């Protein structure tokens, strides 16, 4: 009985969502659908099926206007062309049969109930998952030429020489990082699977300010390759940007599935706050499953890009060549004299005493002076090859957090277009 109550609750919630979105299931009224589900649930739970059919005679007047098509439409969540619907063969046969009108009311009743029961079961068994989405078929993913997707993204990087320092690369890295950095290893929520930044409120979280630029830019690619998931597209764009701007080669594989609604969005506060201390950095990254060495390696991504006062509240690049992926970030931290500078918005940041256009975030100096972190900062300042090696491993781990890989996905190693 406890499971039945839970099943009923989840299905009614799903019906409510369908009712708001005017799904094709609404050939029936909400109250009729509720009645239909309750009886269909009794069918699956009842030990005496003959007794059930006697009880369910009240359903028969509903069947002529319900029809085969509506019965099948409720058997799976509404999907886009990007994620194909996976339909059971019995439902597919029912929806395409030319003999539907000849079927007896008992047969129609059984199939209609089976469809509704299947939908309720789907919602019930997947209710604890952060991403409720049908599987992407192997045929669809294999139809995508990921090597060409990579090349097309590379062509976009310097499309607008007036944007920032002449490259969209840094903002694409930030998109991949922020889409992935919401993962929680304990609750198994967040991460690049789902691409939940497409929805509010996540798209409006303060840490994601300005990333609409990157998302909109990649719509050009998605329009050309509509079967690629946004999660795969965003992470592939991050890999492409790092490699094309001189960084290490990062193996990448597809398999992310897009969330269908904002219900999968993660709460605000899962990304780092640059105004806090080093213990905050550990809290954020440990939650994802990273250790101190991986944390410092990932920070090297700040060799790319700059801060904007209308996005993060800070201003300036971390080094003088913000479109070149190097270990200069670590060298700057270790070798330069950093002084505090007050900002017009009431905040403050560190700047290089000899070049105040170059900045560091408050949390970064605290991390550099932390005993556990400092040895890795100093290591990467001295050894760029080691930094590249460790960054590639950590970034690959980051963009794969929470992704439901099957284990047989092809791993791509993209050659740089500049080579």
């Amino acid at each position: 009985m406890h499971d039945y109550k839970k099943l009923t609750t989840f299905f009614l919630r799903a019906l409510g969502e369908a009712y708001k979105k005017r799904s094709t299931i609404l050939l029936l009224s909400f109250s009729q659908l509720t009645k239909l589900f309750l009886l269909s649930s009794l069918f699956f739970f009842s030990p005496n099926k003959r007794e059930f059919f006697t009880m369910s005679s009240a359903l028969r007047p509903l069947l002529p206007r319900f029809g085969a098509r509506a019965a099948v439409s409720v058997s799976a969540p509404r999907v886009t062309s990007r994620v194909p619907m996976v339909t059971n063969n019995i439902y597919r046969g029912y929806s395409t049969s030319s003999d539907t009108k000849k079927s007896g009311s008992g047969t129609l009743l059984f199939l209609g109930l089976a469809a509704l029961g299947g939908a309720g079961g789907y919602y019930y068994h997947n209710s604890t998952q952060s991403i409720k989405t049908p599987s992407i078929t192997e045929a669809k993913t294999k139809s995508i030429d990921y090597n060409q997707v990579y090349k097309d993204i590379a062509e976009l990087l310097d499309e607008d020489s007036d944007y920032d320092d002449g490259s969209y690369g840094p903002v694409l890295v930030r998109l991949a990082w922020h889409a992935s950095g919401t993962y929680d290893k304990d609750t198994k929520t967040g991460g690049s699977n789902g691409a939940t930044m497409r929805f509010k409120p996540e798209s409006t979280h303060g840490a994601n300010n300005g990333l609409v630029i990157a998302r909109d830019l990649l719509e050009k690619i998605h329009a050309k390759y509509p079967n690629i998931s946004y999660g795969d597209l965003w992470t592939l764009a991050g890999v492409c940007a790092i490699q094309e701007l001189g960084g290490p080669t990062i193996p990448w594989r597809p398999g992310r599935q897009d969330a269908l609604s904002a219900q999968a969005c993660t709460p605000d506060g899962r990304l780092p706050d640059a105004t806090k201390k080093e213990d905050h950095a550990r809290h954020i990254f440990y939650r994802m499953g990273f250790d101190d060495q991986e944390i410092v390696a990932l920070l090297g991504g700040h060799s790319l890009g700059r801060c904007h006062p209308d996005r993060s509240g800070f201003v300036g690049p971390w080094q003088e060549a913000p479109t070149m992926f190097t270990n200069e970030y670590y060298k700057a931290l270790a070798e330069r004299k950093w002084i505090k500078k007050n900002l017009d918005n009431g905040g403050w940041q560190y700047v290089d005493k000899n070049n105040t256009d170059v900045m560091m975030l408050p949390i970064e100096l605290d991390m550099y002076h932390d005993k556990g972190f400092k040895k890795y900062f100093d290591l990467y300042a001295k050894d760029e090859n080691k930094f590249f090696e460790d960054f590639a491993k950590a970034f690959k781990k980051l963009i794969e957090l929470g992704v439901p890989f099957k284990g047989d996905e092809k791993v791509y190693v993209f050659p740089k277009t500049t080579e």
Side-chain angles (χ1 to χ4, degrees), residues 262-295:
Q263 291 180 340
C265 286
T266 55
D268 199 0
R270 288 198 177 183
L271 294 168
D273 183 340
T275 65
K276 295 187 177 181
K277 299 289 186 179
E278 68 276 8
D279 58 341
H280 169 74
R282 283 196 170 94
H283 170 74
I284 293 293
F285 285 91
Y286 284 6
R287 186 204 67 225
M288 290 185 270
F290 289 109
D291 60 26
D292 285 0
Q293 174 263 316
E294 293 170 316
I295 295 171

Side-chain angles (χ1 to χ4, degrees), residues 88-160:
N88 188 292
N89 287 335
I90 188 172
Y91 301 150
R92 185 182 298 112
Y94 178 42
S95 66
T96 58
S97 173
S98 59
D99 298 323
T100 301
K101 292 183 180 179
K102 298 180 182 179
S103 299
S105 60
T107 302
L108 283 171
L109 177 61
F110 175 79
L111 291 172
L113 294 174
L116 280 171
Y122 176 88
Y123 195 86
Y124 172 70
H125 290 297
N126 289 277
S127 62
T128 58
Q129 302 300 314
S130 61
I131 308 297
K132 303 180 184 69
T133 170
S135 298
I136 299 175
T137 65
E138 186 178 0
K140 286 290 185 181
T141 55
K142 282 188 174 180
S143 69
I144 302 170
D145 185 347
Y146 291 108
N147 285 293
Q148 189 58 50
V149 176
Y150 178 97
K151 292 175 183 177
D152 288 350
I153 295 171
E155 287 293 320
L156 287 181
L157 297 183
D158 57 358
E159 183 179 72
D160 184 357

Side-chain angles (χ1 to χ4, degrees), residues 4 145 224:
Y4 171 71
D145 185 347
K224 185 175 179 180

Side-chain angles (χ1 to χ4, degrees), residues 163-225:
Y163 177 75
D164 267 5
D165 299 287
S167 175
Y168 283 115
V171 75
L172 293 181
V173 175
R174 182 170 168 244
L175 174 64
W177 159 213
H178 283 221
S180 306
T182 57
Y183 184 68
D184 187 314
K185 62 181 175 61
D186 294 325
T187 63
K188 304 296 189 294
T189 57
S192 62
N193 192 49
T196 50
M197 203 193 301
R198 292 174 294 133
F199 305 110
K200 292 182 179 179
E202 191 169 334
S203 63
T204 60
H205 289 171
N208 295 329
N209 288 343
L211 288 178
V212 64
I213 295 171
R215 298 194 301 269
D216 286 352
L217 179 71
L218 292 176
E219 284 297 331
K220 302 175 185 178
I221 305 296
H222 196 271
K224 185 175 179 180
Y225 306 95

Side-chain angles (χ1 to χ4, degrees), residues 33-64:
L33 286 170
T34 302
K35 183 178 181 181
L36 189 56
F37 169 70
L38 292 174
L39 288 173
S40 67
S41 300
L42 287 173
F43 172 81
F44 288 104
F45 283 100
S46 173
N48 190 332
K49 300 298 186 287
R50 181 177 299 176
E51 189 173 297
F52 167 80
F53 277 105
T54 301
M55 294 167 53
S56 62
S57 60
L59 283 174
R60 287 177 181 144
L62 301 178
L63 290 172

